[in-house]
Amino acid sequence: MPPQTGEPSIALAEPERVTPSAPFESILFDRPRSEAEIDERGALPFFVDLNLDQLFTAIAEERGGYKPKPKEVRPTFVRPGDEVEPPDPYNLRPFFCVPLEDIDAIAYRHEVMLDLEGTALRDQIRSFAQSMRTMREHLARARKLYYHYQKASWFVDAVEIYCDAVSRLADELPHLGLKSRGFLALSDYLADYVRSDAFQSLIAEAKQVKDELATVTYSLLIKANRFTVTKYDGEPDYSVEVEETFQKFRQGAVQDYRLKFSESVEMDHIEAIALDFVAKLYPNIFGRLREFCDRHRDYLDPTIRRFDREVQFYLAYLEFMQPLKAAGLKFSYPRVSGSKEVRADETFDLALANKLIHEGATVVCNDFSLKGRERIFVVSGPNNGGKTTFARTFGQLHYLASLGYPVPGRDTQLFLYDRLFTHFEKEEHIENLRGKLQDELIRIHEVLQQATSNSVIVMNESFASTTLEDALFLGREVIQQLIERDVLALYVTFIDELSSLGEATVSMVSTVVPENPAQRTFHVVRKPADGLAYAAAIADKYGLGYGSVKRRIAR
């Protein structure tokens, strides 16, 4: 199914060649960002409330089996001398924890993602990534091997794989109709890099070393418990003559008594000693092998290494979306701006949808919009009717938009916030010596202290632990604070009165099947709150309405 892009929030480059405005440094960031600074980022406080922790785990698993280990710090890439490549070679988790702060940075990622939606470019990047992964596997193997000449051979192979991968990508990119600033800058960077004296020298030296090693020939004479290694000097191969002599005695299949050599990559100590003797016979060739490894230990270009890692941020999400799109769900590039007139049609909770699609279940989509002075969705309705899912959807959309990702739904327009806050029900912790209501009030106070008029706040079932009267009073006070701060917010409540506190609030209600009020539709629609009608309908269905009870008493 073709992507549903809606109206992009960016002005795409024209089809003709566009000169990048700055030298290439990153495919993720339009301005330089320190890798060390990014890799220090951890999960944000609202990830669990919005199920973003589950979502990002699922996305990262598309790129190599990412399993989060909060207290474990592992290297992102290996070089000669580093430890073996970790299970998650790309370490995508930190990228999910760095929301973008301006519209142009988001547009930069939209452009890159739109380029990658083209099959030809995506195939080239996948091929490049596979070669880079093979290269790292060679380096990891070199690290594990014990004998120095064997380690050196695997290192030279890794260099050749790298040079071939970079050269092929540099050759292909100019012919793929690129439009994004990121890929155009990368194409220019690779063109200059592969033409550089350093890269051409690396290719030539690696080829020379391999060609010279291919000329090495030797003879191995084994006698009793000794062996002798000499240069091969044209001695005849008697194996052919022996086979021809005894061929006439052969009758049908016979048992093979020949010794089978081990297919293990690791050399044994006898093979290593023999190789050392061969190296002494050819000191110049093996000397150049050692010199090559020492001189080019840091052959991997940092910018290319960084690109190989960062581009997986896009590929992982594109692959994650594929089964959802195949199920008919829509995605779009949101129009991100400073306007609080937000909207989304046919949107859904992405973490939940991923679970439901893989279980073969149906995903329910919803719409929402704010216009004019409207700022706060007040969501009410029956329990288990989809209110919390709708709240998570609202928060997810804004966070995914800040990462530069396409978001669930079509025709989406979202707010570029400064900070996102959530307040969901938490279990009581006996160690803080606070009751549930006190803990809620303290947490809400902290949110209101930090929030600005450019913040987004999602509150779910606040004050459910207190009386109706107190919950109404506290809820009214909190919403009034949100209105005064001009905050964009969503407030889930079981109290209908909170949905009509002024022009800033918009009532949204989770609905039920009219013929069977006990059955939820999980659709959340814009209309006045009418929760009491549901209660009355359910009571009537089971003969517990006022009229039914009165008639029974009268009998």
Side-chain angles (χ1 to χ4, degrees), residues 235-256:
E235 292 89 347
D237 183 359
Y238 290 111
S239 61
V240 176
E241 295 183 21
V242 170
E243 286 185 359
E244 290 178 352
T245 300
F246 287 91
Q247 181 66 32
K248 59 185 176 182
F249 301 108
R250 183 172 183 174
Q251 296 180 0
V254 296
Q255 184 175 348
D256 189 352

Side-chain angles (χ1 to χ4, degrees), residues 475-490:
R476 187 179 284 130
E477 289 295 314
V478 169
I479 292 178
Q480 194 59 46
Q481 290 283 328
L482 298 177
I483 293 172
E484 291 177 4
R485 286 169 168 76
D486 197 33
V487 171
L488 185 64
L490 187 146

Side-chain angles (χ1 to χ4, degrees), residues 421-434:
F421 299 94
T422 59
H423 181 272
F424 281 53
E425 186 178 13
K426 305 289 184 186
E427 292 183 1
E428 289 189 67
H429 295 286
I430 192 170
E431 62 270 15
N432 65 20
L433 301 179
R434 298 198 301 248

Side-chain angles (χ1 to χ4, degrees), residues 301-346:
D301 179 76
T303 300
I304 294 174
R305 173 192 59 75
R306 180 171 181 167
F307 165 77
D308 178 47
R309 177 192 179 191
E310 290 183 344
V311 76
Q312 305 304 321
F313 175 85
Y314 300 103
L315 294 180
Y317 195 72
L318 285 170
E319 293 180 15
F320 176 83
M321 288 193 299
Q322 283 180 354
L324 284 82
K325 286 184 174 182
L329 297 175
K330 305 293 193 301
F331 287 83
S332 62
Y333 291 89
R335 300 183 298 277
V336 181
S337 70
S339 170
K340 294 174 184 175
E341 292 194 350
V342 298
R343 66 170 297 124
D345 295 338
E346 298 181 48

Side-chain angles (χ1 to χ4, degrees), residues 55-70:
L55 176 62
F56 294 145
T57 296
I59 294 171
E61 283 178 345
E62 298 288 345
R63 313 313 302 161
Y66 162 75
K67 302 293 182 186
K69 296 183 179 179

Side-chain angles (χ1 to χ4, degrees), residues 3 15 53 83 107 115 123 125 137 155 250 261 330 336 397 433 439 453 471 473 521 541 545 548:
D53 55 336
E83 70 173 47
D115 267 353
D123 288 346
I125 299 302
E137 290 170 353
F155 178 82
R250 183 172 183 174
F261 287 96
K330 305 293 193 301
V336 181
L397 259 64
L433 301 179
D439 185 66
S453 61
F473 171 77
T521 67
K541 178 181 178 181
S548 299

